[in-house]
Amino acid sequence: MLYIIDCIVAFIIFMDTNFLSVIPVGDFTYSVMGYKNKVLLTIICVLMFVFSLLYRSYYRKKITYNFSGFILLLVGITIVLTIYSAEIYDQSITAGFKMSYYFMIPLIYYLFTLYFSTPNRVKYFTNLMVFMGTIYSGIIILQVLLLKVSSIIFLNFNEQGLGLLEYRSYGIRLSKPADFITLSFLFTCLAIYSSSRKKNVLLYSAVFIQFIYISLVSMTRLSMIICVALFVLTMIFKTDLKSKIKSRVYVLLLLLIAGLFGGEIINNLLYGQQDRMNSALIRTDAIQYFRNQMFSHGVFGRGFPTDAKYYFFNHGPEGRFFTTDLGVYGFITIYGVAGIIIVMLLLYKLVQAYLRTRGDRYNRGMITLVLVYLLLSAPTLFLFDAQRILYLPILLSLIDMFILKANSSIELDKYSL
């Protein structure tokens, strides 16, 4: 049974990378498992939710789901809002569900919490994330280098893959994989924080490769900020303050990286300033546009009108506005007051989780890294968006495991699959 679950988990992660953008994906496949099309993933998550409940009931496993109330509230409100949208927009429930179905994905939280409570599964999953993120980064960096010296293309540059190749004044930009690789960077930092000295070289190499992609290829500013914050915090948590030698080595390492690549990163940021200013202006206009829809239906926001009938209503008069570009603000424009309640409940549960690790420096450090990632992602890379929503239940399940380790002397093998 555990082997089957391992395979399912690995397939989910591999699918989320769009098969590393190497394997060609047809139109039908993309329609069910593309960058923003999560039909197959949603089906798997719902089935795994049912499986986890049946498994827990049959074997009478006592697993504490600290975020269960939040998950069920999110899913319940989504179903109600989908039905309500069918009424107010004169559309079928099925049409509305095509816009909201991916909010069922967090139901896989129940499986991951059960899965992570099994011996060595957190380690297995962390290694999987580090490996996939590093390989994916390396493949993309290699492709960019080849494009600079030749016309060799081995990745999928189309709508079903990485998107159309973007040549900017400041270089080639490939931003789609940034979401996954930023998450992988988080798991690499968690691995560094908990690793032995023998593994540090490999993990620091992974950090280096992933950050090269984030800073020089994806050029996603918020991802860069998240990665720098995570790495600095990891060094602070891991370094023995009494060890001056260690501290100096880490400082020299950071200075070396800054010296080698700082100029190129700054150059990318400065010479891409016009493109970034245009993006900021579009976001500002989008905020103004969606603001009037935020509380337009009582406790609900704009809901889920279909693109087929309301494309320009959904995306503005020029079709340039997307709620996914607005982070937590975009989510609240859809859910309204109900969305604020959902976000506040999540924040309350996260603070509660942090406080429950009081007295355990190690697990509190691990949770802190996850919380930093979650909070810094909120402005524009919010984890409720379709392309990132899988990461939310994974991280909440991980927090559950840190709480369990911090507060229980019970052997984890009692929860084995």
Side-chain angles (χ1 to χ4, degrees):
M1 178 63 70
L2 182 57
Y3 175 76
I4 295 174
I5 301 300
D6 283 341
C7 291
I8 292 172
V9 168
F11 175 74
I12 288 173
I13 298 303
F14 193 46
M15 180 171 59
D16 192 65
T17 67
N18 203 15
F19 305 108
L20 299 179
S21 301
V22 175
I23 301 175
V25 176
D27 291 339
F28 173 76
T29 304
Y30 182 75
S31 68
V32 298
M33 52 190 294
Y35 180 61
K36 292 185 179 180
N37 302 316
K38 305 296 183 181
V39 177
L40 180 59
L41 177 60
T42 302
I43 293 172
I44 293 174
C45 290
V46 172
L47 291 176
M48 291 299 98
F49 164 68
V50 174
F51 165 79
S52 62
L53 294 185
L54 291 176
Y55 184 91
R56 184 190 179 196
S57 175
Y58 183 79
Y59 289 101
R60 298 181 180 179
K61 297 296 180 182
K62 296 181 180 180
I63 303 292
T64 301
Y65 297 105
N66 295 287
F67 297 92
S68 182
F70 158 75
I71 296 293
L72 294 178
L73 179 66
L74 173 63
V75 172
I77 289 179
T78 298
I79 293 172
V80 172
L81 185 54
T82 301
I83 296 171
Y84 186 57
S85 296
E87 179 69 24
I88 60 179
Y89 291 113
D90 190 26
Q91 63 188 27
S92 67
I93 295 177
T94 303
F97 188 68
K98 288 180 180 179
M99 302 293 291
S100 66
Y101 70 90
Y102 61 88
F103 282 104
M104 303 297 112
I105 290 175
L107 287 172
I108 203 171
Y109 159 78
Y110 292 91
L111 176 73
F112 270 108
T113 297
L114 178 63
Y115 180 70
F116 286 155
S117 67
T118 304
N120 297 319
R121 290 309 95 190
V122 172
K123 181 179 179 181
Y124 165 79
F125 187 82
T126 300
N127 290 338
L128 175 66
M129 290 297 300
V130 173
F131 176 78
M132 293 292 287
T134 306
I135 294 298
Y136 202 11
S137 299
I139 289 173
I140 296 171
I141 292 169
L142 176 61
Q143 176 66 93
V144 171
L145 291 176
L146 287 174
L147 286 171
K148 289 186 176 182
V149 299
S150 68
S151 59
I152 297 175
I153 295 178
F154 63 87
L155 295 181
N156 299 321
F157 290 105
N158 50 42
E159 291 302 324
Q160 291 79 20
L162 290 168
L164 299 178
L165 193 58
E166 297 182 61
Y167 287 94
R168 302 293 180 88
S169 59
Y170 48 89
I172 298 172
R173 187 185 186 205
L174 301 174
S175 58
K176 267 190 177 181
D179 294 330
F180 178 81
I181 293 172
T182 304
L183 180 70
S184 175
F185 192 95
L186 166 64
F187 276 90
T188 308
C189 288
L190 292 173
I192 289 174
Y193 181 50
S194 61
S195 70
S196 62
R197 293 181 180 180
K198 293 181 180 179
K199 293 184 178 180
N200 280 353
V201 174
L202 292 176
L203 292 173
Y204 285 125
S205 299
V207 160
F208 180 77
I209 294 171
Q210 291 167 10
F211 189 71
I212 289 299
Y213 163 77
I214 291 293
S215 58
L216 300 182
V217 182
S218 84
M219 305 179 199
T220 306
R221 287 172 295 179
L222 188 55
S223 291
M224 282 189 258
I225 292 171
I226 292 171
C227 290
V228 171
L230 290 174
F231 185 73
V232 170
L233 280 175
T234 302
M235 293 300 96
I236 292 173
F237 294 159
K238 189 174 179 64
T239 302
D240 183 355
L241 296 179
K242 296 180 182 179
S243 175
K244 294 182 180 180
I245 296 177
K246 278 187 178 181
S247 300
R248 289 171 182 172
V249 169
Y250 292 136
V251 169
L252 288 174
L253 180 63
L254 289 171
L255 289 176
L256 178 61
I257 294 174
L260 289 174
F261 300 100
E264 184 69 19
I265 293 170
I266 292 171
N267 179 67
N268 289 341
L269 292 175
L270 291 178
Y271 285 94
Q273 197 63 26
Q274 186 60 48
D275 292 327
R276 299 179 190 282
M277 287 179 62
N278 292 338
S279 177
L281 288 173
I282 291 174
R283 281 195 174 95
T284 301
D285 292 341
I287 290 172
Q288 296 294 329
Y289 177 78
F290 288 121
R291 183 173 60 184
N292 296 328
Q293 304 173 16
M294 186 179 294
F295 306 112
S296 55
H297 299 104
V299 297
F300 295 126
R302 60 196 309 276
F304 299 107
T306 63
D307 277 352
K309 291 180 67 174
Y310 299 98
Y311 184 83
F312 290 105
F313 174 74
N314 285 344
H315 305 294
E318 298 179 11
R320 298 188 304 167
F321 303 153
F322 295 87
T323 55
T324 53
D325 292 335
L326 305 180
V328 63
Y329 183 88
F331 173 78
I332 293 174
T333 64
I334 296 172
Y335 282 78
V337 175
I340 295 175
I341 293 173
I342 291 171
V343 172
M344 293 302 295
L345 177 60
L346 176 59
L347 288 174
Y348 170 75
K349 288 293 185 180
L350 291 174
V351 172
Q352 190 178 57
Y354 179 79
L355 294 177
R356 289 186 64 185
T357 58
R358 183 179 302 169
D360 188 321
R361 184 173 178 270
Y362 171 77
N363 285 293
R364 172 160 285 195
M366 299 289 268
I367 285 184
T368 300
L369 291 174
V370 176
L371 292 181
V372 168
Y373 172 87
L374 289 171
L375 295 176
L376 290 182
S377 298
T380 58
L381 303 176
F382 199 43
L383 297 192
F384 286 66
D385 297 336
Q387 59 268 39
R388 289 176 290 271
I389 197 166
L390 173 64
Y391 308 158
L392 182 64
I394 291 174
L395 295 179
L396 296 184
S397 299
L398 200 61
I399 291 174
D400 275 349
M401 182 47 46
F402 296 146
I403 294 174
L404 177 62
K405 287 183 177 180
N407 293 277
S408 177
S409 59
I410 299 175
E411 292 295 329
L412 295 182
D413 59 7
K414 291 185 179 180
Y415 299 113
S416 59
L417 283 168

